[in-house]
Amino acid sequence: MSEQPELLDESVMAMVAARDLPDGAIVNLGLGLPLALSDYIPPDREVLFHSEQGIVGFGARVFDPAEMDPLLMNAGGEPVASAPGMSYMSHDESFAMIRGGHIDVTVLGALQVDAQGNLANAQIPGKPAPGLGGGQDLATCAKQVLVVMRHVAPNGDPKIVERCDMVLTALGCVDRVVTDVGLFEIADGRVTLLEYAPGWTVDQIQAITGAELAVAEDVREIVLI
Amino acid sequence: MINKVVGSFDEAMADVQSGAMIHFGGFANPHNTPNYLIAALARRGADQLTGVSTYAGHGEEVQRELFERRNLEPLPDGWDLGLMAELGRLGKLITSFPNGNSRELLYPFEHVLRRGEAEVEVLGQGSIAERIRCARAGIPAFYTPVGVGTFVAEGKEVREFDGVAHILETALKADFALIRAHRADRFGNLVFRGPRTFNQTMAGAAAVTVAEVDEVVPLGELGPDEIHTPGVYVQRVVVRPSTPLDDWRTPA
């Protein structure tokens, strides 16, 4: 196999995903790569981050122990900052907010995504049972589902596939996917490459993708601003 | 006179029988977990419990590791549902996270599942929350679009509303709800601190709701505008020790 161009690192993937969140959006961040998004919101934009345990409006992650509030964490248990206008609620209220269609964008990790927009992120290989967390409610009920994941699984299998063969979390829900090689849109049974990581060609991306790729007319290299 | 304040955690857990269904409040953080109620339940010794919890608990070792990774000070008294898993007290768990979310860390309930020693019912977090809320509100069941077409829907009634398929989920009323709050008065009125998690959701969704609190204040000090959960939903209140204990076996 020929030498591959460089993969985007996790913080750049988070920046690409954060770049497209509109001013005023209410956004839930799922476990894994999505948790970093709250660090990358431009100062001129107000995005309200929602977390399942009952928070709307938290800020960036906190790494200095002196500034941590042990009660204020994101869904992955990482300390985050409070922000003006933040509010707390119960779990049932938090999910009424989700189920009721009040979340604009949910950002989720995934094990597999397919051309129909089906999402599989429940059965982590080696774990004794599938885990759903809040992902099933979010994937089913948020207005837009954005997946942030590596393009290829640790064992080399493609994660964007024609048809998921892993335990499904929700059907026909995924709208966009950010991976370490590009940005993709999923609609009408088709996966379309919108932007590619620096150095990558369409053929190189197709070679590590398990579904046939369409290419956007205005396909371009990823830029962060 | 109404006084729901109980003198000890052991007294608050004294009538939990084996086979009981128990709501465990909080959300994957020992700071919002009813640590001392869980320790007292462990001392009580009831087993074959059906637990309802958003996650299966860290247990002491995993919790210490997670806290150290995040530069947080580990707690001497951060007991959670992982303790019940380690002691083999769970016959069944209804949860959204049966595993830890870390590939390399094995949580106590994962060992229990691998040994085939307990049943698990995996359900989305929002459906668990609403099943509990319905128990509090006296609603026997509700339809939700969440889970349609997945393993969660197996064996459940499906009905269309406005052309969208929904599944029927039933209320989850427990025998006991163990929750954590910040302040209480003798009526059992509660004020929470931080995200209110399943602690507020579970209050009133069991025959007996027990609140573990940092402080009980004189009646009237919590004003009607600031009370998050009316005491109607709470049967017992117990105050955490002012100096943390470091062994769950110590009576408290």
Side-chain angles (χ1 to χ4, degrees):
Chain A
M1 199 169 127
S2 63
E3 186 91 346
Q4 270 190 354
E6 208 173 328
L7 298 169
L8 300 180
D9 70 27
E10 294 182 0
S11 55
V12 175
M13 291 163 70
M15 284 182 227
V16 173
R19 182 196 68 185
D20 296 337
L21 297 176
D23 191 32
I26 301 158
V27 179
N28 182 287
L29 301 180
L31 294 176
L33 297 176
L35 294 174
L37 262 74
S38 66
D39 301 355
Y40 298 112
I41 298 304
D44 62 343
R45 225 185 290 166
E46 291 185 323
V47 171
L48 293 180
F49 288 108
H50 172 277
S51 192
E52 286 93 317
Q53 71 271 42
I55 319 173
V56 173
F58 64 86
R61 292 180 296 178
V62 175
F63 299 98
D64 176 359
E67 290 179 8
M68 288 175 185
D69 171 354
L71 283 168
L72 186 52
M73 297 185 175
N74 61 26
E78 299 170 328
V80 290
S82 68
M86 183 174 75
S87 60
Y88 293 140
M89 71 210 84
S90 67
H91 245 96
D92 58 278
E93 190 62 49
S94 173
F95 278 89
M97 197 174 276
I98 294 169
R99 206 182 301 101
H102 306 281
I103 305 296
D104 294 311
V105 184
T106 183
V107 190
L108 295 167
L111 296 162
Q112 271 183 342
V113 169
D114 73 21
Q116 304 301 318
N118 295 320
L119 170 69
N121 66 0
Q123 183 63 65
I124 295 172
K127 292 290 184 183
L132 291 168
Q136 191 168 62
D137 297 82
L138 286 157
T140 307
C141 302
K143 290 178 195 157
Q144 193 189 41
V145 177
L146 172 62
V147 165
V148 182
M149 65 178 191
R150 295 272 173 205
H151 200 82
V152 172
N155 69 357
D157 286 347
K159 296 175 71 169
I160 297 179
V161 294
E162 208 57 58
R163 183 64 76 162
C164 288
D165 59 5
M166 299 175 86
V167 175
L168 287 179
T169 301
L171 277 59
C173 59
V174 178
D175 299 297
R176 282 188 165 214
V177 183
V178 174
T179 75
D180 43 18
V181 303
L183 169 66
F184 305 83
E185 181 180 68
I186 298 183
D188 307 321
R190 209 169 47 232
V191 185
T192 304
L193 176 67
L194 302 179
E195 298 180 29
Y196 50 85
W200 285 79
T201 65
V202 174
D203 286 346
Q204 283 170 321
I205 294 174
Q206 179 66 72
I208 56 169
T209 303
E212 190 182 341
L213 288 178
V215 180
E217 270 180 36
D218 56 350
V219 68
R220 60 170 189 162
E221 185 176 282
I222 285 175
V223 286
L224 289 175
I225 42 167
Chain B
M1 184 176 133
I2 302 167
N3 186 10
K4 295 179 180 173
V5 181
V6 174
S8 73
F9 289 93
D10 290 297
E11 188 185 336
M13 292 289 93
D15 53 349
V16 178
Q17 306 300 325
S18 289
M21 182 187 276
I22 303 193
H23 288 327
F24 291 90
F27 177 79
N29 180 351
H31 288 281
N32 59 33
T33 298
N35 320 106
Y36 286 89
L37 284 171
I38 289 171
L41 182 61
R43 293 192 295 278
R44 164 79 186 141
D47 62 7
Q48 284 303 306
L49 301 172
T50 293
V52 180
S53 170
T54 184
Y55 84 127
H58 294 136
E60 204 173 325
E61 270 177 48
V62 169
Q63 189 179 99
R64 191 181 312 114
E65 169 70 24
L66 287 175
F67 268 53
E68 281 169 3
R69 282 185 192 183
R70 290 163 192 158
N71 296 320
L72 285 160
E73 192 68 36
L75 302 179
D77 56 357
W79 308 297
D80 63 19
L81 194 51
L83 176 62
M84 302 305 288
E86 281 164 356
L87 295 171
R89 303 288 170 75
L90 297 170
K92 180 177 177 181
L93 186 62
I94 301 172
T95 188
S96 65
F97 287 113
N99 317 300
N101 57 39
S102 157
R103 286 189 199 224
E104 69 274 22
L105 288 178
L106 282 178
Y107 288 32
F109 193 64
E110 294 181 50
H111 296 292
V112 172
L113 283 179
R114 290 207 174 150
R115 293 194 298 263
E117 291 169 355
E119 270 184 75
V120 66
E121 178 181 339
V122 177
L123 193 63
Q125 211 172 122
S127 294
I128 295 179
E130 188 63 10
R131 290 179 70 185
I132 296 165
R133 193 198 70 82
C134 281
R136 178 177 80 230
I139 294 171
F142 64 97
Y143 287 100
T144 175
V146 178
V148 169
T150 74
F151 72 92
V152 164
E154 282 165 23
K156 290 174 184 164
E157 183 189 321
V158 179
R159 184 168 160 184
E160 282 197 7
F161 295 91
D162 296 328
V164 178
H166 289 67
I167 55 176
L168 187 70
E169 295 283 2
T170 54
L172 265 179
K173 179 137 188 176
D175 298 302
F176 290 85
L178 313 188
I179 67 169
R180 171 95 175 258
H182 177 42
R183 300 167 90 200
D185 60 27
R186 65 178 171 84
F187 280 6
N189 292 314
L190 302 178
V191 170
F192 297 91
R193 195 168 56 175
R196 293 180 210 143
T197 73
F198 274 93
N199 289 318
Q200 190 176 27
T201 296
M202 288 170 168
V208 178
T209 295
V210 190
E212 171 175 333
V213 300
D214 297 314
E215 190 184 10
V216 171
V217 299
L219 196 66
E221 195 169 316
L222 305 178
D225 278 327
E226 64 180 314
I227 289 168
H228 295 134
T229 290
V232 172
Y233 292 138
V234 178
Q235 281 67 46
R236 296 173 193 169
V237 172
V238 203
V239 185
R240 290 167 62 86
S242 48
T243 308
L245 303 178
D246 59 6
D247 187 340
W248 66 268
R249 297 169 193 85
T250 308

